[in-house]
Amino acid sequence: METLSTNQAHGGVQGVYRHESRATGTPMTFSVYVPPHAEGARLPVLWYLSGLTCTHANVTDKGEYRRACAEHGVIFVAPGTSPRGEGVADDDAYDFGQGAGFYVDATQAPWAAHFAMRSYIEEELSALVAAEFPADMDRQGITGHSMGGHGALTIALRNPARFRSVSAFAPIVAPALVPWGEKALGGYLGQDRAAWARYDACALIGSGARVDELLVDIGDADQFMAEQLRPELLEAACAAAGIPLTLRRQPGYDHSYYFISTFMTDHVAWHAERLKA
């Protein structure tokens, strides 16, 4: 692991790191904020998965999470959204290819060669964080925005024993039913829709996957809500499954980091409460 930068913030350390990924076959860059803590302490971990076009830098620069993480003693991990670089397949559109990994393990050429974001997040980066940082991997939460909200929900639903808490900002809740998801899942996984279900939060819930509860924020001025996000489908799926869902439609907020940064403190505190020893 190569350290690209470290900066002190709120008594802790914000670092940016790079390593050679076995899962993607490319260099991958991620950020980790470690709050102030006693020597030898192991701290809970909150994962944040970013949305379309983003890198680790979007939330690191604009997420406004460090004060809350320092207050609650929570490590904050922000991975990238896809493999990048020369020799990595790409697409001219913003919603497919580099920057748009959708947290899946691709099975279709040419994407299968590098686009293994599910394995990267669930296995490889998790092991690296456990080895290199004072992380208590028995106390993990996960959140994310838009495509990253989709990633957070599906990863938690597939790994309920690993994540004690899960939330999302404006997530894509049913990618198999919306244009962003149909394009991405079809391109990365092929046209067999049965293979898409493991990457669709509403489908996972419908097939029996469960988490203890969910917190979701979305702006009622979000320009993507009606066509791409479809929060009402998550409401219906959680109601049918008996999963407690707190879905907050925030008046006047859009899809941007102005929205995310406004409610980030709420989400960090919510996760911290559930990640207490």
Side-chain angles (χ1 to χ4, degrees), residues 217-259:
D217 275 306
I218 188 168
D220 71 0
D222 191 312
Q223 62 270 40
F224 302 113
M225 179 163 57
E227 183 180 27
Q228 305 284 11
L229 307 181
R230 305 289 304 277
E232 73 280 2
L233 298 179
L234 183 64
E235 280 185 302
C238 287
I243 297 174
L245 168 65
T246 301
L247 175 59
R248 307 189 302 189
R249 291 176 170 86
Q250 303 291 359
Y253 284 91
D254 59 16
H255 200 67
S256 72
Y257 267 87
Y258 296 108
F259 155 65

Side-chain angles (χ1 to χ4, degrees), residues 81-246:
T81 52
S82 80
R84 286 178 164 86
E86 187 176 351
V88 177
D90 200 7
D91 189 270
D92 290 337
Y94 76 94
D95 56 357
F96 194 63
Q98 295 187 37
F102 266 82
Y103 304 99
V104 307
D105 281 356
T107 59
Q108 304 300 299
W111 314 103
H114 298 290
F115 281 71
M117 290 303 295
R118 173 182 176 176
S119 293
Y120 176 68
I121 300 296
E122 291 185 3
E123 300 170 16
E124 185 176 13
L125 188 57
S126 177
L128 185 62
V129 168
E132 299 289 344
F133 299 94
D136 181 352
M137 303 305 279
D138 290 330
R139 293 188 289 157
Q140 296 185 74
I142 191 167
T143 187
H145 170 235
S146 193
M147 178 186 74
H150 139 76
L153 294 176
T154 56
I155 288 172
L157 285 162
R158 291 194 304 264
N159 300 275
R162 175 175 164 187
F163 294 98
R164 291 193 188 182
S165 56
V166 55
S167 73
F169 299 88
I172 305 168
V173 304
L177 301 178
V178 302
W180 276 343
E182 289 184 315
K183 179 178 181 178
L185 298 182
Y188 294 135
L189 304 175
Q191 295 307 309
D192 179 5
R193 286 180 171 257
W196 300 8
R198 67 180 71 99
Y199 298 110
D200 183 302
C202 289
L204 285 166
I205 292 170
S207 64
R210 298 291 182 267
V211 292
D212 290 340
E213 58 182 324
L214 292 171
L215 170 64
V216 173
D217 275 306
I218 188 168
D220 71 0
D222 191 312
Q223 62 270 40
F224 302 113
M225 179 163 57
E227 183 180 27
Q228 305 284 11
L229 307 181
R230 305 289 304 277
E232 73 280 2
L233 298 179
L234 183 64
E235 280 185 302
C238 287
I243 297 174
L245 168 65
T246 301

Side-chain angles (χ1 to χ4, degrees), residues 8-25:
Q8 184 163 310
H10 299 286
V13 176
Q14 176 66 66
V16 178
Y17 309 93
R18 181 168 56 208
H19 71 116
E20 293 293 331
S21 168
R22 295 184 303 275
T24 68

Side-chain angles (χ1 to χ4, degrees), residues 7-111:
N7 296 93
Q8 184 163 310
H10 299 286
V13 176
Q14 176 66 66
V16 178
Y17 309 93
R18 181 168 56 208
H19 71 116
E20 293 293 331
S21 168
R22 295 184 303 275
T24 68
T26 67
M28 296 293 289
T29 302
F30 63 100
S31 75
V32 179
Y33 177 70
V34 178
H37 60 281
E39 185 176 353
R42 311 300 287 183
L43 307 177
V45 179
L46 178 58
W47 295 81
Y48 176 92
L49 305 184
S50 295
L52 288 167
T53 76
C54 291
T55 70
H56 71 283
N58 296 75
V59 71
T60 305
D61 294 347
K62 297 184 287 188
E64 300 184 20
Y65 55 84
R66 279 172 286 268
R67 182 184 295 276
C69 286
E71 177 184 348
H72 295 287
V74 174
I75 292 173
F76 192 96
V77 180
T81 52
S82 80
R84 286 178 164 86
E86 187 176 351
V88 177
D90 200 7
D91 189 270
D92 290 337
Y94 76 94
D95 56 357
F96 194 63
Q98 295 187 37
F102 266 82
Y103 304 99
V104 307
D105 281 356
T107 59
Q108 304 300 299
W111 314 103

